[in-house]
Amino acid sequence: MQSWRSGQGTGPGAATPQHRSAQHSYPQNWTPHLDKHDFYFNFRNSEKAKDRRNTFLCFQVEGASTSSKRVCSNQVGGLHVELSFLSWFENKLLSHAQQQQYQVTWYLSWSPCDSCAKQVANFLATNRNVRLTIFIARLYYFKRPQNQVGLRRLVSQGVRMNAMSLQEFSQCWEAFVDNHGSVFEPWENLDENYRCQADKLDEILRGSRSLLREETFCLHFNNQRRLPKPHPHRRWYLCYQLVLPNGVLLDKGCLQNKKKRHPEIRLIFRILSMELDQAQRYRLSCYLSWSPCLQCTQELGKFANKHKNLDLHIYTARLYCHWLRYFQKGLYLLWKYKVPMTVMGLQEFDDCWKIFVDQEKPFPAWPKLQQCSDKTQNRLNRILQGSCIPGHTPTHPSLPFLALPAWSLNDLKDALSDLSLSQ
């Protein structure tokens, strides 16, 4: 599969013949019907879609005074079909009847890329009189986080989205293909491929990514001071979910150390790759098996400071090397950048279990879970407490009247140097 979805928009082309009752023109790359050989080649839902470099969009628009049906395809260096449709729809329909209710149905050979999904979602947010249903033959680069976010953006704006089954392929064949009266003949493995595409789409829309096994969670998130031996070395795990203010889930997943990268760093790169809208607010909740090290707190602090539209909250099962001043400094830096960090209690463990674990039973709380959590929270409070630096009496955002830690002047200079605040 090649990335063919690049190029500058060229806008609508010349008019084509009018269709049914709609009194408007269509761009040059739009046709009343799709050749049946093109349909079989471009809409085939095989997992390996070699040389399918074009996107075909078969659409139907139903309104009180209009009914339109057409097939369009993207052109090399031209506008993507989704944006070509929006341009035509705004200029030819909405400009004349803005208050009319429209039902739009799309049959797409490829799902929208992240850029098109974002623009379609913005269009729907502005035009509440338009309802859109999308049927997809194949998912476009579905492993890319930004494309997954794009599909979830569409659903958050009320789009009904499904993979094309035999029924939708037959409907598309009857309505949009120049079939000369012939009946649609399913290709081999159509149903199997449909289930594969539907499962992938369902996983994306649910935000499911690499759920933890029950035993993995109970081992690595266990907050007891000492675990029964023998047990394997406990690694860093980070479970996260990204949601909009209205509660719509955009992404979630579980990360661990990989190639000498801590999961906090991997998460930062993943969020940046999504290219989130800077004008939109988001909430990012992170559940960690260990609190971040100093280097990770520095990166999280700079990340949170740069992305003010992102409400970051950290929950941790345990404090990493909390008896060392070096790692205590990291906890202070999170506090300084107003990134809330809370020790996980029974409620947080239960939430994490339900969201991030491939579970078949309720959360099996281990002995003294809440007691261990309370002790860890008290330890965190003591780390952040202390005598105030002369002239400063700020309080911790989640702990009333909690004073700034009694860091030495050298400690503060080192912290400021680490964060490169002078740059």
Side-chain angles (χ1 to χ4, degrees):
M1 186 191 307
Q2 299 186 33
S3 179
W4 41 263
R5 283 181 171 268
S6 59
Q8 300 296 321
T10 57
T16 58
Q18 297 174 354
H19 178 61
R20 294 179 65 180
S21 62
Q23 300 298 315
H24 37 253
S25 59
Y26 295 91
Q28 286 182 331
N29 59 324
W30 292 21
T31 60
H33 296 95
L34 180 64
D35 181 82
K36 63 180 182 179
H37 299 292
D38 289 335
F39 176 80
Y40 274 116
F41 180 76
N42 289 285
F43 277 83
R44 191 180 184 95
N45 61 352
S46 303
E47 186 174 358
K48 296 182 179 179
K50 185 178 180 181
D51 295 331
R52 273 76 170 179
R53 302 179 181 178
N54 293 327
T55 297
F56 283 82
L57 167 60
C58 303
F59 73 83
Q60 183 166 348
V61 178
E62 296 291 342
S65 60
T66 185
S67 180
S68 305
K69 218 173 39 168
R70 267 303 192 268
V71 177
C72 55
S73 62
N74 64 299
Q75 295 178 328
V76 178
L79 211 60
H80 291 184
V81 287
E82 300 91 340
L83 304 186
S84 181
F85 172 85
L86 292 186
S87 177
W88 168 82
F89 189 80
E90 286 185 300
N91 292 330
K92 301 300 180 181
L93 294 183
L94 285 184
S95 60
H96 302 293
Q98 293 184 351
Q99 302 305 317
Q100 187 175 156
Q101 298 294 318
Y102 294 97
Q103 175 60 56
V104 181
T105 304
W106 286 359
Y107 297 86
L108 277 163
S109 60
W110 285 110
S111 62
C113 66
D114 62 309
S115 177
C116 289
K118 180 179 179 180
Q119 295 187 59
V120 173
N122 292 339
F123 169 82
L124 294 173
T126 304
N127 300 277
R128 293 298 184 181
N129 59 323
V130 181
R131 300 178 63 183
L132 175 61
T133 299
I134 301 178
F135 295 105
I136 299 166
R138 293 182 306 273
L139 291 168
Y140 176 70
Y141 284 118
F142 63 91
K143 292 185 179 180
R144 293 182 176 178
Q146 60 267 36
N147 288 339
Q148 296 182 7
V149 170
L151 297 181
R152 285 193 282 270
R153 284 179 190 270
L154 291 173
V155 173
S156 71
Q157 293 301 327
V159 175
R160 294 178 54 200
M161 189 181 307
N162 293 288
M164 291 180 68
S165 64
L166 175 59
Q167 178 180 351
E168 284 75 46
F169 282 114
S170 299
Q171 291 173 351
C172 192
W173 173 269
E174 292 294 333
F176 299 99
V177 177
D178 188 11
N179 54 54
H180 303 289
S182 60
V183 179
F184 173 64
E185 297 181 3
W187 47 80
E188 186 179 2
N189 298 326
L190 184 150
D191 287 334
E192 181 181 344
N193 294 337
Y194 156 70
R195 286 191 291 272
C196 181
Q197 297 287 341
D199 288 344
K200 291 175 182 176
L201 180 60
D202 183 60
E203 181 179 343
I204 290 171
L205 298 183
R206 286 187 295 109
S208 175
R209 187 202 302 273
S210 60
L211 295 177
L212 295 176
R213 297 169 59 188
E214 292 181 355
E215 55 269 28
T216 300
F217 179 83
C218 290
L219 170 64
H220 294 282
F221 279 82
N222 195 308
N223 68 345
Q224 292 176 313
R225 186 173 181 181
R226 290 185 176 88
L227 289 181
K229 294 184 179 180
H231 64 81
H233 178 65
R234 294 197 289 187
R235 297 184 294 273
W236 261 288
Y237 275 86
L238 184 155
C239 303
Y240 73 93
Q241 64 173 357
L242 180 69
V243 299
L244 292 171
N246 58 6
V248 173
L249 178 65
L250 289 181
D251 193 25
K252 76 174 183 181
C254 301
L255 304 171
Q256 61 174 302
N257 289 23
K258 187 176 182 181
K259 296 180 180 178
K260 298 183 179 180
R261 267 189 187 179
H262 287 184
E264 296 90 340
I265 305 303
R266 294 184 61 200
L267 174 65
I268 291 174
F269 277 96
R270 176 162 290 179
I271 299 299
L272 291 176
S273 71
M274 295 179 187
E275 299 179 355
L276 299 176
D277 187 354
Q278 294 297 314
Q280 174 70 58
R281 294 206 65 83
Y282 304 89
R283 177 176 174 82
L284 178 61
S285 300
C286 302
Y287 298 81
L288 283 76
S289 58
W290 288 107
S291 61
C293 67
L294 178 59
Q295 288 79 9
C296 289
T297 57
Q298 292 169 0
E299 296 302 323
L300 287 171
K302 290 187 285 188
F303 175 74
N305 186 55
K306 185 176 180 180
H307 299 82
K308 299 293 188 181
N309 62 320
L310 196 66
D311 297 324
L312 174 61
H313 197 120
I314 295 176
Y315 303 89
T316 184
R318 297 182 302 278
L319 300 178
Y320 182 70
C321 294
H322 56 86
W323 56 89
L324 298 177
R325 189 71 164 178
Y326 179 80
F327 293 100
Q328 292 177 10
K329 184 191 296 185
L331 301 177
Y332 163 72
L333 292 178
L334 283 179
W335 176 89
K336 184 172 180 61
Y337 268 95
K338 299 181 180 179
V339 177
M341 185 171 71
T342 307
V343 175
M344 293 173 65
L346 179 58
Q347 183 62 57
E348 287 75 29
F349 280 109
D350 187 61
D351 291 342
C352 197
W353 175 269
K354 293 175 180 177
I355 298 172
F356 302 105
V357 177
D358 186 13
Q359 35 82 22
E360 298 180 353
K361 58 184 179 182
F363 172 58
W366 44 83
K368 299 183 179 180
L369 181 152
Q370 191 59 50
Q371 181 180 348
C372 293
S373 175
D374 293 340
K375 288 183 178 180
T376 306
Q377 183 66 61
N378 289 336
R379 176 57 181 160
L380 175 61
N381 294 350
R382 289 196 301 270
I383 291 173
L384 295 179
Q385 284 174 338
S387 301
C388 296
I389 296 176
H392 295 272
T393 57
T395 58
H396 190 278
S398 62
L399 302 172
F401 311 112
L402 182 62
L404 191 68
W407 301 102
S408 69
L409 183 59
N410 289 335
D411 284 328
L412 291 177
K413 287 182 177 179
D414 292 340
L416 295 174
S417 176
D418 290 335
L419 287 172
S420 302
L421 295 179
S422 60
Q423 295 181 0

